[in-house]
Amino acid sequence: MTSPVYLFDLASRQAQWLAARQTTISGNIANANTPGYRARDVEPFVDILDKTKLAMAATNNGHIGFDASRPDAMKVKKADTWDTVYSRNSVSMEQELIKAGEVDRQHSLNTSIIKAFHRMLMSTVRT
């Protein structure tokens, strides 16, 4: 019997994180003209991944054990910004657009890896 593949779970977690980050970026852009608004960002995915304690699955007693723990909720924090304008608003449109581009690239990479893994998995099932 084959053991479950957790790559799809990992990709799903990253997709959820990317959605949360894109929502936060959108909120920053929407409040770009709000006086006193402070730009926010989510906790980096690496930190969230470190908290999941993702381990290898054990198929034999001699193998490393497996502990399937769920990640903690994503924390939104105040972002480090480039400047503060006269209205005390810390949103930098350039910085937010750069972040949005990073999210797009990471989502594309995530999707490409999953598609390639799915093709590989399907080719092994067919043979």
Side-chain angles (χ1 to χ4, degrees):
M1 184 166 155
T2 61
S3 62
V5 178
Y6 294 100
L7 179 68
F8 294 117
D9 186 42
L10 178 63
S12 175
R13 290 180 191 184
Q14 186 188 28
Q16 291 171 352
W17 178 83
L18 289 169
R21 186 160 194 225
Q22 187 63 39
T23 301
T24 305
I25 292 167
S26 299
N28 289 343
I29 291 172
N31 288 294
N33 293 325
T34 305
Y37 181 81
R38 297 283 178 228
R40 299 184 294 175
D41 202 354
V42 295
E43 184 178 9
F45 185 67
V46 173
D47 295 345
I48 292 172
L49 189 59
D50 287 343
K51 292 177 186 176
T52 62
K53 298 175 185 144
L54 190 64
M56 295 190 312
T59 56
N60 185 317
N61 288 337
H63 291 171
I64 299 173
F66 177 72
D67 180 23
S69 60
R70 301 299 294 171
D72 293 338
M74 284 163 254
K75 297 175 185 169
V76 176
K77 61 178 182 157
K78 290 185 179 179
D80 295 329
T81 58
W82 292 345
D83 58 349
T84 302
V85 294
Y86 67 93
S87 66
R88 296 184 192 220
N89 184 323
S90 66
V91 176
S92 168
M93 290 299 285
E94 294 85 6
Q95 189 176 19
E96 297 305 317
L97 292 175
I98 289 170
K99 289 179 192 176
E102 289 172 1
V103 168
D104 181 51
R105 284 188 300 279
Q106 290 174 355
H107 184 267
S108 294
L109 178 62
N110 186 343
T111 304
S112 297
I113 291 171
I114 291 302
K115 284 181 182 178
F117 187 74
H118 183 259
R119 281 192 305 269
M120 182 181 66
L121 193 60
M122 293 307 290
S123 70
T124 59
V125 171
R126 289 183 194 143
T127 58

